[in-house]
Amino acid sequence: MLQIISGFWISRAVYVIAKLGIPDLLKSGPKTAEELATATNTHAPSLFRILRALVCVGVLSSAEGGRFAQTPLSETLVTDAPGSLRWFAVSELGQEHYPAWGNLMHSVKTGEIAFDNFFGADIWKYFQQNPEDAAVFNNSMSNVTAHANEAITSLYDFSQFGTIVDVGGGHGGLITSILQKNPQVKGVLFDAAEVIEGARPKIEAAGLADRLETVTGDFFKSVPAGGDAYIMKWIIHDWDDEKSNTILRNIRSRTQPNTKLILVDCVVPETDEPHFSKFIDLNMLVMTGGKERTEREFSQLLAAAGFKLLRVIPTDLPTSIIEAEPV
């Protein structure tokens, strides 16, 4: 129980080294606290205490001469590592998420969103007002989803579609992965204007500007027409049933009888088995007012918007692929 209660001590120490870029500095080899403090403009004795503590939980290791070195855990925080968790750690543990989680009791007592109560605005408005934090969050999502994208594209056959519309697709990580593996498929990336602005350079860098159209808008009002499939990854879990129904109905209004709807979200087991989705669900309670859903809840939600659940494809991550079609 002491380990559980004090777990956030470790998390906050991880935040510090992620924010400072310590793992990046250790790529070239072990360094002393003094060397790292000089490079990061921090107080060497205090930084030493952070590094020493992280050694004892395996995040860092000690080396000769009082130096500190990388471990497989700290390597995940290197900025350019595949699927890097650096910006995820910064976003979750030091910026908007951490103080909102400190307000969890407000959600439990009132059913209201802890984030909104603490910051006086919902998270989407907060990101509009704080573009630097928004950039960190978007980068964190792009990096974290790299592994999920690989699992999704390996388990689902996207070659059957001519055009895929990625609704709320952020910087385009998923649709880019799909198009790279399926050169005959075209895509549409749909999101808010400020998000699409950040996505365009990545699309060009991937060499997909000729096959991936970008469209700006608000999925609560409408979505682009012309998709043989509509995909949403980690979107529906952001919203309660009423708002989710609005998004799904807007997609339903654009579908043909053979159109597929593909949701990528957690599916919560109805048993008591350990599953990370049950804690992601708490994050939705705190941050957005959304929730993770069971297969039965997805079926009901989809039916209310005019879709029939066809199948759920689990991945080796907490995420599943949920396939539906118009009724």
Side-chain angles (χ1 to χ4, degrees), residues 78-321:
V78 172
T79 304
D80 59 0
S84 172
L85 294 174
R86 180 188 180 187
W87 299 120
F88 185 73
V90 172
S91 180
E92 293 287 328
L93 301 174
Q95 294 186 176
E96 67 283 345
H97 284 69
Y98 188 78
W101 266 85
N103 200 33
L104 174 61
M105 187 65 77
H106 178 78
S107 291
V108 175
K109 286 186 173 181
T110 67
E112 297 173 357
I113 303 171
F115 181 96
D116 297 15
N117 174 260
F118 183 88
F119 285 99
D122 66 39
I123 190 170
W124 317 114
K125 187 173 295 183
Y126 172 88
F127 282 147
Q128 288 176 350
Q129 296 169 348
N130 297 272
E132 291 185 1
D133 287 1
V136 169
F137 177 75
N138 285 326
N139 285 334
S140 77
M141 289 296 98
S142 296
N143 289 335
V144 166
T145 60
H147 296 300
N149 293 343
E150 178 62 31
I152 294 159
T153 54
S154 65
L155 290 171
Y156 191 90
D157 178 19
F158 291 98
S159 66
Q160 61 186 296
F161 306 120
T163 300
I164 300 170
V165 180
D166 189 350
V167 177
H171 284 177
L174 176 56
I175 191 66
T176 296
S177 297
I178 292 171
L179 297 189
Q180 287 173 330
K181 288 196 173 184
N182 298 276
Q184 76 283 9
V185 177
K186 294 183 178 180
V188 177
L189 178 64
F190 178 70
D191 213 313
E194 60 271 18
V195 178
I196 291 295
E197 183 178 351
R200 288 193 178 109
K202 298 185 178 184
I203 293 170
E204 292 175 3
L208 292 172
D210 60 331
R211 285 199 289 135
L212 182 52
E213 179 185 0
T214 56
V215 179
T216 64
D218 180 352
F219 51 45
F220 288 114
K221 296 179 179 177
S222 67
V223 300
D228 301 304
Y230 287 81
I231 189 165
M232 286 188 289
K233 183 176 74 174
W234 299 345
I235 299 297
I236 291 300
H237 79 161
D238 283 334
W239 308 101
D240 61 22
D241 287 351
E242 181 180 356
K243 289 186 173 69
S244 295
N245 185 266
T246 298
I247 300 168
L248 292 170
R249 284 188 177 276
N250 285 337
I251 295 174
R252 179 66 179 87
S253 70
R254 299 296 200 181
T255 60
Q256 302 298 320
N258 60 344
T259 304
K260 290 292 189 290
L261 172 66
I262 303 158
L263 307 180
V264 179
D265 259 319
C266 293
V267 177
V268 182
E270 300 205 35
T271 64
D272 291 335
E273 68 184 86
H275 200 271
F276 195 51
S277 63
K278 298 172 185 180
F279 286 93
I280 301 176
D281 180 58
L282 294 184
N283 196 47
M284 296 303 103
L285 174 68
V286 167
M287 300 299 296
T288 69
K291 63 179 181 177
E292 307 301 334
R293 294 172 171 89
T294 64
E295 183 173 340
R296 181 186 311 169
E297 288 172 328
F298 269 114
S299 181
Q300 293 169 344
L301 181 69
L302 289 164
F307 290 98
K308 177 175 69 174
L309 175 64
L310 297 178
R311 56 178 173 155
V312 173
I313 306 170
T315 72
D316 58 358
L317 302 168
T319 301
S320 292
I321 303 165

